[in-house]
Amino acid sequence: MNEGTESDIRATTGLTAAEAATRLATEGPNELPTAKPRTLLRIAASIFKEPMLLLLLAGGTLYLILGDVQEALILLSFVFVVMGITFWQERKTERALEALRDLSSPRALVIRDGVQVRIPGRDVVRGDLLLLAEGDRVPADATVTECLTLSIDESLLTGESVPVRKAAASEMVEGEIRPGGDGTPHVFSGTLVVKGQGTALVRSIGAATELGKIGAALKQLEPERTRMQTEVDRLVRNLAILGGSLCLLVILIYGLTRGDWLGGTLAGITLAMAMLPEEFPVVLTVFLALGAWRISRANVLTRRMPAVETLGSTTVLAVDKTGTLTQNRMTIRAIETAGEQFHINGQDALPEQFHNIVEYGVLASPINPFDPMDTAFKDLGTRFLSQTEHLHDEWSLVREYPLSENLLALSHVWVSADGADYTIASKGAPEAIADLCHFTDEQRTKLIDDVSKLAEDGLRVLGVAQASFSASDGLPSEQHEFDFDFLGLIGLEDPIRPMVPKAVKECYAAGIRVVMITGDYPGTARAIAEQIGLTPRDAIITGPELDAMSDDELAVRCHEANIFARVVPEQKLRIVGALKASGEIVAMTGDGVNDAPALKAADIGVAMGLRGTDVAREAAALVLTDDDFSSIVGAVRMGRRIYDNLRKAMGYIFAVHVPIAGMSLLPVLVPRLFGYETPLVLMPVHIAFLELIIDPACSVVFEAEEEELDTMSRPPRPINEPLFGKRMVGISLAQGAAVLVVVCTVFLVSLGMSHNPEVHDAYVRTLTFTTLVLANIGLILANLSWSKSIIGVLKEGNRALWWVIASAIAFLAIAIYVPPIRSMFQFAPLDLIDIGIALAATAVGVAWFEGVKWFRRKGGHVEA
């Protein structure tokens, strides 16, 4: 490190925002080299592999060979138009993914301008002062300046699975530093804090870190193949095989019956283009990517795409109380000592008899607290004791006995300025403090009764104790060896988030259970449950009770209980297993290292973005960037909307391909009608025109459609429900068949109408194609909502819909009424009566489905 000095190590204010911005600009972000972004040429190369474009190229090449340059150019121009649309969709998807990658960058807690701020890991710069805590991933190579029982898992770099202990540096070390070994002051990018806490001064970032030096570059991961993607792949493959077979069959039939092998080849290519549903994989990719981006805008980061699918099937939301249902902003509301209680509201003074317990509560808290409970103690001390002898700024903290799994209490050992004796302050769970104070059974019974009364008011209760120790004796190895005196109980309140009751009510309307998990007492949990509207709330399972149950018994009890109290993180895994064993689809929240197994085991693991550890975030499928329960509910709503719109888009694709394929086959199967040789209605250029409507409609228009009226008032969909279920496919094919019938009717009517023989075929083709385009628009409008009418859809503000409709009508008018373009499409002009026929046929084609929706609305059943 070029600018490191001892003063840097002792710095507590960190860099200024201006210094950090300058270093970020000159040295670049703290990230390893990534895979190159997809360039215009790479995207173009992938587009040229699409079967639809290959068929268009085949048709254009065929026309060039025959010398029909005009027809060839229009087909080839469509290639570039389709490429443009596809490229635009690709870039939109890439931008969405880039936004997600920025959001998913590991977070780092640093001190800048003397204030702690949480920033993306990529924004860490040399000279930043990092705050490290258990469960964090170290964002850069750094030198430890202060630490308390800090241990780091460096197996990523060294292969050694045993964590190594860290010590604070007394001075800056220059030269090459290697990972590994106990007692060193150096931490490395990518390693994991498994115990303790500390501060560290950043010395290397990005490619200059040890992780960068060994070539561990980040590369863009291949997208996961989800269940829906597998289903779509199988469908596209089967339809492609069917389309290819029919293509060859059409060429043979047309060539043998009419002796026109060129026309047969074009008819075969047209049918293949009509049958090939290349929109399916495009739509799926766009929906999943943009869906994840939309969810991220609702403060929920999607780390795994399958979570978008699963959200709509969630039946249980199992959530932490603190920070998720509540604001994680603790305030001390009640103090109890020596049989007396004091409830804090707006008083200006604290009675003298309560000064001692507050004094020791402050001493048992960090000097510069970050934890909300510790902050509440410091705020209370500042408010009431600042003008008394009960605050001891001149005392020195000489040792901390931290919380452990076996004893949920911590103790601070202080020494006064004269160094005569040690003063020990302890706070923690009341039962742990009772253990330290060696309570009798009678005292424990009385304590439990006092705690229960406070907890019934929704307060989180802590015990406080004091001890003294002679400086001449060496400090003991455990806090149990001190002779503690019990001082009393402190009741803290964490207000619920304002939006939680409404969100819980919304969950119940959507058929989703809410299960609250907390380390608090049952009385506290029940009081919070009452505030947020959680029901039923009488059955409560405590951590000790859970340990005593078998897995089968727990699975049964999980049907009855929605509150788990006095739970430790390790027990969450059993809760998830029990809920899943009882048939639930579980979304589980967590924030700590010990929550990771439960987050992985849940159908949807949800990590806290603000207070959560990197380990929890890596194990989760979703990350709440604001730690708010209502954001989870919003994600469920968004997930249901995404899945609904995806199904409707897929249904529209099914429906629209039926009339296109049918009209491609009809002239082949019926060579003559009404004394005329049946003309080809659709040629490659016409299919390409239709694709210019279908592609943006099924992706952009459907993706942007607002949610259905009943999105959060219907039960969760079954997890194994196929995307292409019999009902959806049946309705879509019925819609397509209805449109095919009316288009065929217009085709047959136009064949028999009296026209100049020279333009007869062009007239038939124009009227039929116009009807097909308008019917296509009708299918879009009908499928955008399976609950609202077409008029209701048009009233909503889907701007993409209006662009597609306006563009389709404008291009159709140009193709019909601009002579050079009309000749390219082999069209003839239409009059108002012809346009009226096409509009009437379109109305008839979609009217039946509008009637079905009307009856469903009347019956109160509007499921999409």
Side-chain angles (χ1 to χ4, degrees):
M1 183 169 176
N2 297 330
E3 301 174 16
T5 65
E6 289 187 32
S7 61
D8 290 327
I9 290 182
R10 291 191 294 270
T12 58
T13 58
L15 297 175
T16 66
E19 288 172 335
T22 301
R23 293 193 182 188
L24 184 63
T26 56
E27 300 180 9
N30 175 38
E31 56 188 10
L32 299 175
T34 59
K36 293 181 179 179
R38 283 164 60 85
T39 62
L40 178 62
L41 289 177
R42 291 181 68 190
I43 294 176
S46 65
I47 293 173
F48 268 113
K49 296 176 183 177
E50 292 294 329
M52 177 64 71
L53 285 177
L54 293 177
L55 290 170
L56 278 173
L57 287 172
T61 303
L62 189 59
Y63 278 120
L64 277 177
I65 293 173
L66 297 173
D68 193 340
V69 177
Q70 188 181 60
E71 193 72 28
L73 287 177
I74 192 170
L75 272 186
L76 294 176
S77 67
F78 272 112
V79 170
F80 290 103
V81 174
V82 173
M83 278 183 62
I85 292 176
T86 308
F87 177 73
W88 179 79
Q89 289 174 333
E90 284 260 2
R91 286 304 304 151
K92 189 172 183 180
T93 301
E94 282 290 313
R95 283 194 296 270
L97 292 174
E98 286 167 7
L100 291 178
R101 284 195 289 270
D102 288 342
L103 283 172
S104 63
S105 172
R107 312 293 285 176
L109 192 61
V110 301
I111 294 178
R112 288 187 180 167
D113 294 311
V115 179
Q116 60 162 332
V117 291
R118 192 169 292 278
I119 62 173
R122 69 189 305 275
D123 290 344
V124 171
V125 298
R126 281 190 318 102
D128 259 329
L129 197 59
L130 300 174
L131 296 176
L132 302 176
E134 182 177 325
D136 288 349
R137 277 233 182 254
V138 181
D141 288 3
T143 299
V144 178
T145 60
E146 294 180 16
C147 67
L148 181 65
T149 62
L150 183 64
S151 293
I152 306 284
D153 177 0
E154 296 183 347
S155 57
L156 176 70
L157 298 174
T158 65
E160 295 293 332
S161 58
V162 178
V164 293
R165 179 178 52 83
K166 296 296 177 182
S170 58
E171 60 182 16
M172 183 58 63
V173 178
E174 299 293 342
E176 187 175 11
I177 298 166
R178 305 295 299 173
D182 269 324
T184 66
H186 309 295
V187 293
F188 301 92
S189 176
T191 58
L192 176 66
V193 181
V194 296
K195 186 179 180 182
Q197 58 191 27
T199 60
L201 192 69
V202 175
R203 61 195 311 275
S204 301
I205 62 170
T209 63
E210 288 298 311
L211 193 62
K213 290 176 184 176
I214 64 175
L218 295 176
K219 295 186 183 296
Q220 184 177 339
L221 298 175
E222 290 295 322
E224 300 177 44
R225 303 307 294 172
T226 67
R227 179 178 56 82
M228 281 196 298
Q229 287 172 321
T230 303
E231 194 177 344
V232 167
D233 290 345
R234 183 169 59 249
L235 176 69
V236 171
R237 183 183 66 247
N238 294 339
L239 288 178
I241 293 172
L242 177 62
S245 303
L246 289 176
C247 172
L248 296 175
L249 187 61
V250 163
I251 293 173
L252 287 174
I253 293 175
Y254 198 97
L256 292 173
T257 57
R258 304 195 189 193
D260 183 0
W261 291 99
L262 173 61
T265 302
L266 290 173
I269 291 175
T270 301
L271 180 63
M273 293 173 67
M275 290 286 294
L276 187 68
E278 96 289 348
E279 301 95 348
F280 283 135
V282 172
V283 166
L284 190 58
T285 301
V286 169
F287 267 72
L288 289 179
L290 292 183
W293 174 73
R294 285 188 187 278
I295 291 175
S296 75
R297 296 179 69 192
N299 299 316
V300 181
L301 170 64
T302 306
R303 296 192 71 253
R304 294 182 178 86
M305 288 300 181
V308 177
E309 300 177 38
T310 314
L311 275 170
S313 299
T314 303
T315 60
V316 170
L317 291 180
V319 296
D320 289 315
K321 176 186 75 69
T322 304
T324 307
L325 299 176
T326 62
Q327 298 178 30
N328 199 22
R329 181 177 56 80
M330 303 300 292
T331 303
I332 294 176
R333 289 298 180 202
I335 306 174
E336 181 175 308
T337 184
E340 295 187 65
Q341 274 195 9
F342 182 75
H343 289 269
I344 300 171
N345 294 310
Q347 299 95 334
D348 295 327
L350 181 70
E352 180 66 32
Q353 62 266 37
F354 297 99
H355 284 195
N356 201 39
I357 184 174
V358 174
E359 172 188 357
Y360 279 86
V362 173
L363 288 172
S365 304
I367 299 171
N368 295 307
F370 299 135
D371 181 86
M373 285 194 294
D374 294 331
T375 302
F377 276 95
K378 183 174 183 180
D379 290 346
L380 187 67
T382 302
R383 177 179 173 186
F384 290 124
L385 303 182
S386 59
Q387 304 301 321
T388 72
E389 74 281 3
H390 293 284
L391 293 185
H392 308 284
D393 293 336
E394 74 280 5
W395 287 12
S396 300
L397 178 65
V398 295
R399 182 161 180 179
E400 176 182 311
Y401 294 90
L403 292 166
S404 68
E405 294 179 9
N406 300 320
L407 187 66
L408 296 177
L410 62 83
S411 298
H412 281 176
V413 181
W414 296 87
V415 64
S416 59
D418 58 16
D421 289 301
Y422 295 117
T423 298
I424 300 95
S426 182
K427 77 173 191 292
E431 61 265 34
I433 297 298
D435 188 14
L436 289 176
C437 295
H438 306 292
F439 270 22
T440 64
D441 291 342
E442 183 180 349
Q443 287 174 312
R444 287 180 185 275
T445 302
K446 171 72 166 56
L447 177 70
I448 292 172
D449 185 53
D450 291 340
V451 168
S452 297
K453 289 178 181 177
L454 289 171
E456 285 173 2
D457 294 332
L459 301 180
R460 182 167 185 175
V461 185
L462 295 179
V464 179
Q466 68 171 0
S468 59
F469 198 74
S470 173
S472 61
D473 300 326
L475 288 172
S477 59
E478 296 181 359
Q479 35 186 336
H480 259 300
E481 298 182 35
F482 293 113
D483 187 14
F484 279 103
D485 293 321
F486 183 70
L487 293 179
L489 300 173
I490 298 285
L492 298 102
E493 178 186 64
D494 184 5
I496 65 168
R497 292 180 181 267
M499 296 300 294
V500 168
K502 178 183 177 183
V504 170
K505 187 176 180 181
E506 198 172 3
C507 283
Y508 290 149
I512 301 171
R513 278 178 64 196
V514 179
V515 172
M516 181 172 69
I517 301 173
T518 178
D520 283 339
Y521 282 90
T524 305
R526 187 181 286 112
I528 294 296
E530 185 174 358
Q531 292 180 47
I532 66 174
L534 187 70
T535 57
R537 49 182 173 267
D538 295 328
I540 299 177
I541 298 176
T542 65
E545 290 172 347
L546 189 151
D547 282 336
M549 294 180 191
S550 67
D551 289 342
D552 292 338
E553 185 182 359
L554 181 58
V556 173
R557 290 287 305 278
C558 277
H559 277 298
E560 308 164 358
N562 290 327
I563 301 174
F564 292 83
R566 305 307 285 168
V567 169
V568 296
E570 289 80 356
Q571 293 174 322
K572 285 187 177 182
L573 183 59
R574 285 199 68 200
I575 296 172
V576 170
L579 289 169
K580 292 177 71 174
S582 61
E584 306 284 7
I585 306 301
V586 184
M588 164 72 77
T589 68
D591 57 7
V593 176
N594 292 337
D595 291 331
L599 293 174
K600 276 195 172 182
D603 297 289
I604 304 177
V606 184
M608 302 297 105
L610 294 178
R611 72 179 190 277
T613 61
D614 287 339
V615 174
R617 286 193 287 268
E618 288 171 11
L622 300 176
V623 176
L624 299 185
T625 58
D626 61 354
D627 293 6
D628 192 341
F629 172 75
S630 60
S631 295
I632 308 176
V633 181
V636 171
R637 173 187 288 275
M638 188 69 70
R640 290 189 175 191
R641 167 192 162 179
I642 292 166
Y643 190 82
D644 284 350
N645 287 347
L646 180 59
R647 281 171 58 87
K648 289 183 287 189
M650 296 295 189
Y652 159 71
I653 295 170
F654 262 116
V656 77
H657 276 277
V658 171
I660 295 173
M663 292 311 300
S664 300
L665 269 175
L666 181 62
V668 177
L669 300 178
V670 185
R672 295 188 66 82
L673 274 173
F674 306 122
Y676 291 99
E677 185 176 282
T678 310
L680 287 175
V681 175
L682 299 176
M683 291 178 283
V685 66
H686 303 112
I687 302 295
F689 184 100
L690 290 169
E691 287 297 328
L692 297 185
I693 303 172
I694 296 171
D695 279 354
C698 66
S699 55
V700 179
V701 175
F702 277 89
E703 195 279 330
E705 183 62 16
E706 291 299 320
E707 66 196 43
E708 289 290 338
L709 300 174
D710 68 335
T711 296
M712 292 298 281
S713 61
R714 61 174 187 257
R717 63 177 174 82
I719 187 65
N720 293 321
E721 179 182 79
L723 181 62
F724 303 107
K726 292 181 181 179
R727 176 175 168 273
M728 188 273 276
V729 173
I731 291 177
S732 299
L733 293 179
Q735 289 186 79
V739 170
L740 176 60
V741 167
V742 298
V743 173
C744 281
T745 301
V746 170
F747 174 71
L748 296 174
V749 168
S750 62
L751 273 175
M753 293 177 70
S754 175
H755 273 84
N756 183 343
E758 294 181 3
V759 297
H760 178 270
D761 288 359
Y763 169 75
V764 171
R765 181 178 299 111
T766 308
L767 183 55
T768 306
F769 184 78
T770 300
T771 305
L772 186 55
V773 170
L774 294 178
N776 185 0
I777 296 173
L779 284 174
I780 295 171
L781 294 171
N783 281 278
L784 273 174
S785 174
W786 285 16
S787 62
K788 297 186 282 284
S789 67
I790 287 179
I791 294 175
V793 168
L794 288 172
K795 286 181 179 178
E796 294 185 348
N798 191 332
R799 288 183 295 177
L801 170 65
W802 287 105
W803 276 105
V804 168
I805 292 176
S807 300
I809 293 174
F811 289 147
L812 179 63
I814 290 171
I816 294 174
Y817 298 108
V818 176
I821 307 298
R822 182 170 66 223
S823 64
M824 292 181 185
F825 280 87
Q826 299 182 38
F827 280 168
L830 298 179
D831 56 28
L832 289 177
I833 294 176
D834 297 325
I835 294 173
I837 292 172
L839 287 171
T842 296
V844 172
V846 299
W848 74 273
F849 188 54
E850 288 299 292
V852 169
K853 291 195 288 187
W854 184 83
F855 280 111
R856 288 166 65 82
R857 287 196 300 275
K858 288 295 182 182
H861 183 69
V862 292
E863 181 183 352

